[in-house]
């Protein structure tokens, strides 16, 4: 089947990106892996490549291309090389939609040029200790000062990807108490300057996978946030979060598909080179059948995520469709990567092989952005169940 989602511009970008990865990432990736994060300076290189400004309007230094397809190419190429771009993914996939949707003209002039140049890296802080997927249960508060010039932010967040290097963090906080009718009421979003007094970074979390992304705990003690840094309207934050979850979940789905596709490539190369009992592992019927089954699943996942990508670019991807794509693609990736690791035998358990790192990196896909169980709940509700 001929794939139609990408055009010549996307393929030209793919070639440029592949060369960049080979020159700037692959030679130093083991160092990033050992350090537990990519260096901050690397994000300036990504900015020079133009990846942060693709969907940003030209007046703010971007390319003005309203499409997620270039980001899809990045998912495929990083997975193909067995690398990641640190915590920079949240900068574009999570941070940018909120700026574009909610920022005033004045805020866009302040935020977007620095966003494009990587002078300010962005992250999103929703999850709190003890709340998990229950965003309505958040306890972080932001109280308006008596003179009305700023909010006073208090609370904590956890599992914040990009949290160590972030210069601005979109923090979700309660500005009003929930009502009896709607416990989601009262949440607002703030573009918090991480240099603010009272803002602190706690532990850099030691994760099972995604070792090169900086993931942290954050704490806020009487942090003064200027009223000019409120994003959107007060108390409507939960609606905003729900609106942008579709693009976030598409990103996780597409990333998982790309990982599964890469896993098949790694396994195919390995079994063709590795010999057992005097024969290439690829020559055994079980190997052929396993890889054929994996390829069929990857083909199906590709169709699902490509369809979701087209819907996302058209502004038509519904929450239920995004949940369905995420559920399917992440479950496929889980099965495929596990089977491809098995074909590597003992070497598949060694971190020097990309399949081992891919196995660990993939596991979180069924957790963050909403667990598989939450996805099933959304889909079932859409079915009228």
């Amino acid at each position: 089947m001929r794939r139609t989602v990408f055009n010549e511009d996307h393929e030209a970008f793919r070639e440029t990106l592949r060369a960049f990865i080979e020159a700037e990432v692959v030679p130093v990736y083991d160092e990033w892996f050992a350090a537990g994060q990519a260096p901050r300076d690397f994000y300036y290189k990504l900015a020079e490549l133009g990846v942060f400004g693709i969907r940003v309007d030209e007046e703010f230094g971007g390319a003005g291309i309203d499409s997620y397809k270039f980001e899809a190419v990045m998912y495929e190429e990083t997975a193909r090389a067995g690398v990641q771009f640190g915590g920079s993914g949240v900068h574009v996939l999570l941070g940018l939609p909120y700026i574009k949707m909610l920022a005033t003209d004045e805020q866009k002039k302040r935020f977007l040029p620095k966003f494009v140049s990587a002078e300010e890296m962005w992250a999103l802080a929703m999850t709190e200790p003890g709340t998990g997927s229950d965003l309505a249960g958040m306890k972080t508060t932001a109280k308006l000062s008596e003179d009305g010039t700023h909010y006073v932010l208090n609370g904590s967040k956890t599992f914040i990807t990009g949290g160590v290097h972030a210069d601005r963090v979109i923090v979700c906080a309660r500005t009003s108490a929930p009502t009896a009718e709607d416990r989601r009421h009262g949440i607002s979003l703030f573009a918090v300057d991480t240099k603010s007094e009272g803002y602190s970074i706690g532990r850099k979390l030691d994760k099972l996978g995604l070792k090169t992304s900086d993931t942290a705990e954050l704490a806020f003690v009487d942090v003064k946030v200027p009223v000019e840094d409120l994003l959107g309207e007060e108390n409507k934050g939960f609606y905003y979060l729900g609106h942008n979850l579709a693009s976030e979940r598409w990103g996780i789905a597409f990333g998982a598909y790309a990982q599964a596709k890469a896993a098949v490539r790694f396994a195919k190369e390995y079994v063709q080179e590795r010999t057992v009992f005097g024969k290439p592992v690829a020559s055994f019927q079980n190997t052929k059948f396993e890889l054929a089954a994996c390829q069929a699943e990857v083909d199906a996942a590709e169709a699902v995520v490509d369809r979701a990508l087209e819907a996302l670019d058209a502004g038509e991807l519904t929450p239920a469709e995004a949940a369905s794509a995420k559920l399917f693609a992440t479950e496929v990736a889980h099965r495929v990567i596990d089977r491809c690791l098995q074909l590597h035998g003992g070497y598949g358990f060694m971190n020097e092989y990309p399949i081992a790192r891919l196995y660990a990196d993939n596991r979180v896909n069924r957790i963050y952005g909403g667990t598989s169980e939450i996805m099933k709940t959304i889909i079932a509700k859409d079915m009228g169940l």
Side-chain angles (χ1 to χ4, degrees), residues 8-22 49 73 77:
E8 292 180 0
D9 290 339
H10 302 123
E11 296 307 329
F13 176 68
R14 185 188 302 279
E15 291 182 13
T16 299
L17 187 62
R18 187 172 296 183
F20 173 84
I21 291 171
E22 288 298 321
L49 194 65
V73 172
E77 289 305 306

Side-chain angles (χ1 to χ4, degrees), residues 16-29 42 45:
T16 299
L17 187 62
R18 187 172 296 183
F20 173 84
I21 291 171
E22 288 298 321
E24 301 289 346
V25 183
V26 172
V28 294
Y29 196 70
F42 172 67
K45 294 181 180 180

Side-chain angles (χ1 to χ4, degrees), residues 165-182:
H165 285 319
D167 303 287
R168 285 268 177 185
V169 176
I170 301 173
V171 177
C172 312
R174 282 209 164 275
T175 44
S176 297
T179 65
E181 296 78 20
D182 187 4

Side-chain angles (χ1 to χ4, degrees), residues 173-178 182-188 234-237:
R174 282 209 164 275
T175 44
S176 297
D182 187 4
R183 59 192 295 268
R184 300 171 296 180
H185 170 79
I187 295 172
S188 301
E234 198 176 81
N235 299 326
K236 290 190 175 181

Side-chain angles (χ1 to χ4, degrees), residues 69-360:
K69 292 182 179 180
F70 291 94
E71 288 168 51
V73 172
M74 283 189 275
Y75 282 122
E76 291 187 335
E77 289 305 306
T78 51
R80 179 185 181 278
V83 302
Q84 292 185 344
F85 286 165
S88 65
V90 300
H91 181 65
V92 176
L93 185 65
L94 302 188
L96 185 57
Y98 289 97
I99 302 173
K100 292 183 67 173
M101 179 175 72
L102 303 176
T104 63
D105 290 342
E106 183 276 331
Q107 288 175 326
K108 288 179 180 178
K109 290 176 183 177
R110 277 197 292 133
F111 295 152
L112 285 175
K114 294 180 180 180
F115 181 99
V116 172
S117 69
E119 183 178 344
E120 284 189 349
M121 295 298 295
W122 286 62
L124 176 64
M126 293 189 288
T127 306
E128 296 183 0
T131 61
S133 297
D134 182 20
L135 297 180
M138 69 177 61
K139 300 292 193 297
T140 298
T141 60
K143 297 183 179 179
L144 188 64
S145 62
E146 291 184 4
D147 62 6
T149 61
H150 63 273
Y151 292 85
V152 180
L153 182 67
N154 284 282
S156 62
K157 300 290 181 178
T158 193
F159 306 145
I160 308 307
T161 302
V164 174
H165 285 319
D167 303 287
R168 285 268 177 185
V169 176
I170 301 173
V171 177
C172 312
R174 282 209 164 275
T175 44
S176 297
T179 65
E181 296 78 20
D182 187 4
R183 59 192 295 268
R184 300 171 296 180
H185 170 79
I187 295 172
S188 301
L189 307 184
F190 300 89
V192 179
D193 186 340
T194 63
K195 297 184 295 294
S196 302
E197 184 178 352
Y199 181 105
S200 63
I201 300 170
R203 293 184 301 150
K204 182 167 74 70
L205 300 174
D206 183 16
K207 308 182 298 297
L208 170 67
L210 303 180
K211 289 290 188 180
T212 63
S213 71
D214 51 307
T215 303
E217 296 174 330
L218 306 179
F220 322 110
V221 179
D222 294 333
V223 176
K224 292 183 179 179
V225 183
V227 293
E228 292 82 9
D229 289 344
L230 172 69
L231 283 176
E233 295 183 39
E234 198 176 81
N235 299 326
K236 290 190 175 181
F238 197 94
Y239 164 76
Y240 300 142
L241 293 172
H243 183 273
N244 282 333
L245 277 173
S247 61
E248 178 184 351
R249 287 167 177 163
W250 164 80
I252 297 170
F254 203 98
Y257 144 73
Q259 290 176 325
K261 182 178 181 179
V264 173
R265 173 173 173 264
F266 296 145
K268 179 182 175 183
E269 291 176 352
Y270 178 82
V271 299
Q272 288 176 327
E273 297 171 358
R274 175 73 169 165
T275 59
V276 176
F277 306 121
K279 299 169 59 178
V281 175
S283 67
F284 292 93
Q285 186 183 65
N286 179 69
T287 304
K288 296 176 182 179
F289 281 8
E290 283 292 284
L291 283 177
C294 287
Q295 184 62 53
E297 290 216 73
V298 168
D299 287 344
E302 180 178 272
V304 168
V305 298
D306 280 0
R307 184 182 68 174
L309 173 55
E310 296 286 18
L312 180 63
D313 269 8
E316 299 172 352
L317 185 64
T318 68
E321 289 169 345
S324 179
K326 179 182 184 296
L327 176 66
F328 183 76
T330 57
E331 294 292 341
V332 164
H334 164 64
R335 293 191 297 269
V336 167
I337 294 171
D338 182 74
R339 293 163 83 173
C340 288
L341 186 150
Q342 188 73 16
L343 289 172
H344 280 71
Y347 290 103
F349 203 63
M350 301 296 114
N351 273 327
E352 64 186 275
Y353 282 78
I355 193 68
R357 299 180 182 184
L358 200 59
Y359 182 88

Side-chain angles (χ1 to χ4, degrees), residues 27-78:
V28 294
Y29 196 70
D30 286 346
E31 297 174 21
W32 297 3
F33 191 85
Q37 62 185 32
R40 177 63 173 81
D41 288 349
F42 172 67
Y43 299 146
Y44 291 112
K45 294 181 180 180
L46 287 177
E48 291 174 6
L49 194 65
V51 300
F52 294 153
I54 292 171
R55 290 191 290 111
V56 175
D57 291 343
E58 293 182 37
E59 63 179 299
F60 303 117
I65 302 173
D66 190 19
S67 171
Y68 284 82
K69 292 182 179 180
F70 291 94
E71 288 168 51
V73 172
M74 283 189 275
Y75 282 122
E76 291 187 335
E77 289 305 306
T78 51

